[in-house]
Amino acid sequence: MSSRFLPYATTPSRLLAQLISDIIVIIWSVIWVLVGMAVHAAVSTIAEVGRQVQHGANGVADNLNSAGDSTDDFPLVGDSLAKPLRAAAEAALDIAGAGQSLDSTASWLAWVLALAVAAPPILFVAMPWLFLRIRFFRRKWVAITLARTPAGEQLLAMRALANRPLTKLLAVHADPVGAWRRYDSDAIQGLAALELRAAGVRRVRR
C-alpha cells in the first residue's frame, strides 16, 4: 500500500513521534481496560452471591414443598403440618427471587461501573490523538496530491513562502520570492520540499 494511504509521516522524526504517541495511547488504553475489568470482576462477585442465594433458596423451597406433600398424607395432623412447610417454601421462593434480582442488578451494574471507570480516561487521551491523526492524514493527502503536479508544486512553494521561517527560505534561495515569481524550478522545488517536510512528507517525485 502506498504511504499516501497511511496516516503516518515519511520523515523519520515525525514518524518516530507518531509511533511513540501510538505506543503511549495503546499502553494507556490497556491499563484502563484492565482497571475496568478489575472493577467488573469485583462487582460480579456480588452477582455470584445472588446466584448462590437463588439456587440455595430454590433448593430449600423444593425440599420444603416435598416435605409438605409427604406430611399431607398423615391422618388428622397432615394438613396442619403441611401448611407451615408450604409457607416456609413460599418464603424461600421470595428469598430466591431476591437473589435473582441481586444477580441481574449486580451483573448490569458491573458493566456500567467498568465502562464508567475505563471509558473517560481512554477517551480523554484517544479522542485528541485521533483528531490529530486525522488532521495529519488530510494534510498529508493534500500535500502529496499537490506535489504530483507542477501547479500544485507552485502552490506548495507559495505556502512555504507564507508559513516557513525566513532562515529556511533563504537556505533554499537568496531571493525566494523573486525566484518563485520567475518560476525558478529549482527554487520552487526547494520551497515545496520545505512545505512537504512541514507536513511530515518527503519530497514527492512526479
Side-chain angles (χ1 to χ4, degrees):
M1 180 180 291
S2 171
S3 62
R4 182 182 183 184
F5 299 97
L6 297 176
Y8 289 96
T10 56
T11 54
S13 58
R14 179 71 69 85
L15 177 60
L16 179 61
Q18 289 178 335
L19 292 176
I20 292 175
S21 69
D22 288 353
I23 293 172
I24 291 174
V25 171
I26 291 172
I27 293 175
W28 178 264
S29 300
V30 169
I31 289 173
W32 282 104
V33 166
L34 293 176
V35 171
M37 292 173 62
V39 172
H40 180 273
V43 179
S44 293
T45 57
I46 301 176
E48 179 62 27
V49 172
R51 284 190 290 272
Q52 292 176 358
V53 169
Q54 179 187 0
H55 294 156
N58 281 329
V60 171
D62 291 339
N63 291 333
L64 290 173
N65 279 323
S66 298
D69 293 339
S70 299
T71 58
D72 203 18
D73 296 332
F74 289 177
L76 300 178
V77 296
D79 187 56
S80 299
L81 293 174
K83 284 182 178 180
L85 291 174
R86 291 196 175 98
E90 292 179 1
L93 289 176
D94 290 339
I95 295 174
Q100 182 181 9
S101 178
L102 178 62
D103 177 18
S104 59
T105 302
S107 298
W108 171 81
L109 187 61
W111 285 108
V112 172
L113 290 178
L115 290 175
V117 169
I122 292 176
L123 294 177
F124 179 77
V125 172
M127 292 305 292
W129 168 84
L130 181 62
F131 170 78
L132 292 174
R133 187 55 57 84
I134 292 175
R135 189 177 69 172
F136 166 81
F137 176 74
R138 292 180 61 185
R139 184 182 180 186
K140 175 186 175 183
W141 179 278
V142 171
I144 293 178
T145 302
L146 291 175
R148 294 184 184 277
T149 62
E153 195 171 53
Q154 291 179 15
L155 180 58
L156 286 173
M158 184 177 66
R159 291 184 60 178
L161 290 173
N163 298 326
R164 298 306 113 211
L166 181 60
T167 54
K168 292 186 177 181
L169 297 177
L170 293 175
V172 174
H173 197 279
D175 182 15
V177 177
W180 180 81
R181 288 177 176 174
R182 292 190 302 270
Y183 300 103
D184 186 324
S185 61
D186 291 336
I188 288 175
Q189 289 177 2
L191 293 171
L194 286 179
E195 194 64 20
L196 286 171
R197 281 197 295 271
V201 182
R202 292 178 178 175
R203 183 175 174 179
V204 178
R205 295 184 179 180
R206 296 197 301 271

